[in-house]
């Protein structure tokens, strides 16, 4: 696969990059190993200083890196600036909280004495060099939410970014260098997907994290399983969005539009399947469809654009095939359903709402990575939960209700890594993020995320005399 910046709004190749050869990859692996040997012994005060410096630099670079992201993968420029700001916020959060999150834990004294110890504690130590295989859809945020906790824990990072966002990948390496991190603490590998296995199997790589597709996750998990190396996987999602009779329908419909088309609809945690109780279905469908129809599709560099292009021509083709299959089998497009008129350049697709979804349609089980929503009418909460769980994915979920019994039922029964009530799913550094089923395993963010790549060490002291 070519490593290049291709503007998805025009299809124009802006810049191409040569893949790193074996000698350069080897040099960077050796540099990472050397960096870890020293960096692992730094204290939290020094790590905090470096991460805070990176956050300050990122704030200063916000406009420039936002433009880079928009040109590389097509997100609206306002969303790109917001992504950069969110990354700086996450860096500061981990700089402030890491020492407490990784503080030694003291077992109960009764258990310590029962074990025959005079004293004992649980200590968190960094694992080493962690390879991050990252996607293009949030090219800054996906990396920072790994890098900030990993660096604060004393690990060092290698980044294999998606091949269509090389400018963002190189920026990240430069950001941490300018912040003053020792050489080799964070490096980008400009390699194709065919070069990942060799790096994963290298003895100097201790663990890996991947955000991306299910096939990519299977591959990385299989290789690391063979090598007995720790992995964290955040894969696809087909998140349900339940609207129940007690919901504020107007607010639920308005929020649903944002939840579906955020990042041009190319988000694992975007709501995709809208499951609506029959009592409020008609009102919700009308308002939701109207909101989707009103969105402005166009040049993502313009401030008033709501939805830009899909990131690649293949991505649009995949989306078209899912929609066409559904329509052939009886689904109805309440709005959208194709390319905008006159869109002879770029990979644009209209915001779309499909009703009448049935189980034999591909779109019922496969993830839609673009601004296409599927709409389901259900009789009661039992059916709503059943439809929500009828998916191979389990990343997050959204529920609109003011009924406390329905809240407890959904917390208990929805098969997902998160349940968001009366709002849309969003990631925040304080809360764990990840999924179940084919959405992956392990957690990012919060204390759970920073401990994923730590050696959880039991320290036991017998009586000294």
């Amino acid at each position: 696969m070519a490593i290049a910046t291709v503007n998805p709004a025009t299809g124009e190749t802006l810049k191409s990059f040569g893949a790193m050869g074996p000698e350069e990859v080897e040099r960077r692996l050796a540099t990472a190993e050397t960096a870890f040997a020293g960096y692992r012994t730094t204290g939290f005060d020094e790590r905090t200083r470096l991460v805070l410096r990176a956050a300050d630099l990122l704030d200063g670079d916000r406009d420039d890196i936002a433009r880079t992201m928009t040109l590389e993968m097509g997100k609206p420029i306002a969303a790109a600036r917001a992504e950069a700001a969110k990354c700086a916020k996450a860096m500061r959060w981990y700089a402030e909280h890491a020492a407490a999150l990784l503080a030694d834990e003291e077992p109960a004294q009764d258990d310590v004495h029962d074990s025959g110890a005079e004293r004992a504690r649980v200590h968190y130590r960094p694992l080493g060099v962690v390879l991050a295989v990252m996607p293009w859809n949030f090219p800054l945020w996906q990396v920072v939410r790994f890098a900030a906790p990993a660096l604060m824990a004393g690990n060092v990072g290698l980044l294999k970014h998606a091949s269509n966002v090389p400018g963002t990948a190189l920026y990240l390496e430069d950001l941490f260098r300018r912040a003053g991190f020792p050489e080799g603490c964070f490096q980008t590998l400009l390699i194709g997907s065919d070069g990942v296995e060799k790096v994963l199997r290298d003895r100097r790589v201790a663990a890996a994290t991947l955000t991306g597709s299910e096939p990519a996750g299977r591959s990385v998990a299989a290789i690391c399983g063979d090598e007995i190396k720790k992995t964290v996987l955040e894969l696809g999602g087909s998140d349900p969005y339940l609207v129940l009779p007690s919901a504020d329908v107007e607010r639920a419909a308005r929020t649903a539009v944002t939840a579906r088309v955020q990042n041009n609809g190319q988000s694992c945690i975007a709501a995709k399947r809208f499951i609506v109780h029959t009592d409020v279905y008609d009102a919700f469908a009308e308002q939701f469809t109207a909101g989707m129809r009103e969105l402005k599709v166009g040049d993502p560099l313009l401030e008033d654009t709501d939805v830009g292009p899909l990131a690649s021509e293949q991505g649009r083709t995949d989306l078209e095939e899912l929609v066409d299959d559904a329509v052939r089998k009886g689904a109805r497009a309440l709005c959208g359903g194709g390319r905008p008129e006159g869109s002879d350049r770029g990979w644009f697709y209209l915001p779309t709402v499909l009703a009448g979804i049935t189980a034999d349609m591909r779109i019922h089980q496969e993830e839609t990575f673009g601004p296409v929503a599927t709409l389901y009418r259900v009789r009661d909460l039992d059916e709503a939960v059943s439809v929500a769980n009828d998916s191979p994915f389990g990343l997050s979920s959204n529920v609109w209700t003011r009924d406390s019994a329905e809240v407890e039922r959904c917390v208990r029964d929805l098969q997902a890594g998160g349940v968001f009530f009366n709002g849309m799913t969003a990631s925040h550094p304080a809360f764990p993020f990840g999924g179940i089923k084919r959405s992956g395993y392990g957690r990012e963010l919060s204390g759970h995320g920073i401990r994923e790549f730590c050696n959880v060490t039991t320290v036991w002291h017998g009586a000294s005399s």
Side-chain angles (χ1 to χ4, degrees):
M1 181 178 185
I3 300 176
T5 294
V6 180
N7 185 349
T10 64
E12 177 188 4
T13 299
L14 302 179
K15 188 174 182 180
S16 296
F17 298 78
M20 292 175 179
E23 298 83 3
E24 180 61 15
V25 173
E26 166 58 31
R27 186 189 72 78
R28 288 176 178 247
L29 283 164
T31 302
E33 181 182 40
T34 299
F36 177 66
Y39 185 69
R40 64 185 291 273
T41 64
T42 58
F44 283 110
D45 287 348
E46 174 64 3
R47 297 175 200 169
T48 295
R49 183 187 69 81
L50 293 169
V51 171
L52 288 178
R53 175 60 177 154
D56 290 343
L57 289 170
L58 178 53
D59 278 338
D61 297 341
R62 186 180 303 167
D63 288 344
D64 289 341
I65 187 56
R67 182 176 175 82
T68 296
M69 287 190 284
T70 295
L71 288 173
E72 289 198 315
M73 56 71 56
K75 69 173 71 244
I77 190 67
R81 284 196 297 269
E83 181 174 336
K86 183 175 183 176
C87 289
K89 176 181 176 179
M91 289 178 178
R92 293 189 177 99
W93 191 90
Y94 271 108
E96 179 182 347
H97 291 91
L101 294 172
L102 297 180
D104 287 354
E105 296 176 8
E106 303 289 338
Q109 279 302 111
D110 287 348
D111 293 329
V112 172
H113 294 152
D114 187 59
S115 76
E118 183 176 86
R119 64 187 189 279
R121 59 195 165 98
V122 176
H123 185 65
Y124 293 97
R125 295 185 288 167
L127 282 183
V129 179
V130 182
L131 175 66
V133 182
M134 293 287 111
W136 48 262
N137 57 334
F138 291 94
L140 204 65
W141 170 242
Q142 303 279 16
V143 178
V144 167
R145 77 183 191 192
F146 146 73
L151 291 168
M152 284 303 303
N155 295 298
V156 303
L158 289 173
L159 170 64
K160 190 286 178 206
H161 218 325
S163 293
N164 60 331
V165 290
T168 306
L170 292 171
Y171 166 80
L172 283 157
E173 177 179 274
D174 185 60
L175 174 69
F176 290 112
R177 179 192 60 77
R178 287 187 289 135
F181 280 88
E183 182 186 6
C185 278
F186 189 93
Q187 300 175 88
T188 286
L189 301 178
L190 284 187
I191 58 175
S193 57
D194 57 352
V196 171
E197 179 171 358
K198 185 175 181 181
V199 177
L200 286 172
R201 292 191 183 278
D202 192 282
R203 62 165 183 80
R204 292 162 292 192
V205 172
T209 179
L210 177 140
T211 299
S213 68
E214 184 183 337
R218 288 178 183 275
S219 176
V220 166
I223 295 165
C224 288
D226 189 50
E227 295 290 338
I228 315 180
K229 293 182 179 181
K230 175 68 179 291
T231 53
V232 170
L233 303 180
E234 193 265 281
L235 308 178
S238 189
D239 290 2
Y241 190 102
L242 279 62
V243 184
L244 302 173
S246 65
D248 180 336
V249 174
E250 181 180 351
R251 194 159 69 92
R254 186 170 61 249
T255 304
V257 174
T258 304
R260 176 64 284 239
V261 302
Q262 59 176 306
N263 206 47
N264 303 338
Q266 299 166 122
S267 170
C268 296
I269 58 168
K272 300 183 175 78
R273 296 177 296 132
F274 296 82
I275 302 164
V276 186
H277 192 284
T278 188
D279 289 354
V280 293
Y281 179 92
D282 291 338
F284 177 86
E286 180 181 356
Q287 294 176 49
F288 178 44
T289 302
M292 292 284 278
R293 189 181 289 117
E294 291 168 3
L295 293 168
K296 180 176 179 180
V297 180
D299 183 349
L301 288 173
L302 298 179
E303 295 291 342
D304 61 346
T305 291
D306 298 309
V307 179
L310 299 187
S312 69
E313 187 173 17
Q314 185 60 54
R316 183 174 65 178
T317 298
D318 293 343
L319 190 67
E320 288 174 329
E321 290 176 355
L322 285 178
V323 172
D324 291 347
D325 172 80
V327 170
R328 281 197 308 271
K329 294 173 181 175
R332 305 181 311 281
L334 303 185
C335 68
R339 305 178 185 184
E341 291 184 11
S343 60
D344 54 340
R345 300 179 70 211
W347 302 311
F348 295 92
Y349 196 85
L350 288 170
T352 299
V353 178
L354 296 179
I357 305 301
T358 56
D360 63 327
M361 298 172 185
R362 289 175 54 199
I363 206 166
H364 178 67
Q365 290 290 313
E366 297 182 33
E367 181 178 19
T368 51
F369 223 56
V372 174
T374 53
L375 195 55
Y376 297 80
R377 184 195 293 264
V378 294
R379 297 181 303 274
D380 52 31
L381 180 58
D382 287 342
E383 187 179 8
V385 170
S386 177
V387 173
N389 290 339
D390 185 22
S391 170
F393 301 106
L395 193 51
S396 190
S397 59
N398 311 261
V399 181
W400 288 76
T401 179
R402 288 180 276 204
D403 184 315
S404 60
E406 291 176 343
V407 168
E408 293 308 311
R409 169 74 188 282
C410 290
V411 170
R412 185 191 72 186
D413 290 346
L414 286 178
Q415 299 169 358
V419 187
F420 285 67
F421 290 97
N422 302 319
M424 57 179 273
T425 297
S427 55
H428 185 283
F431 304 131
F433 181 87
I436 59 172
K437 299 196 286 187
R438 293 186 182 179
S439 289
Y441 53 74
R443 290 296 180 265
E444 297 177 290
L445 302 176
S446 77
H448 296 276
I450 198 172
R451 297 184 196 109
E452 286 282 8
F453 296 114
C454 287
N455 175 3
V456 184
T457 308
T458 297
V459 181
W460 189 95
H461 299 267
S464 56
S465 61

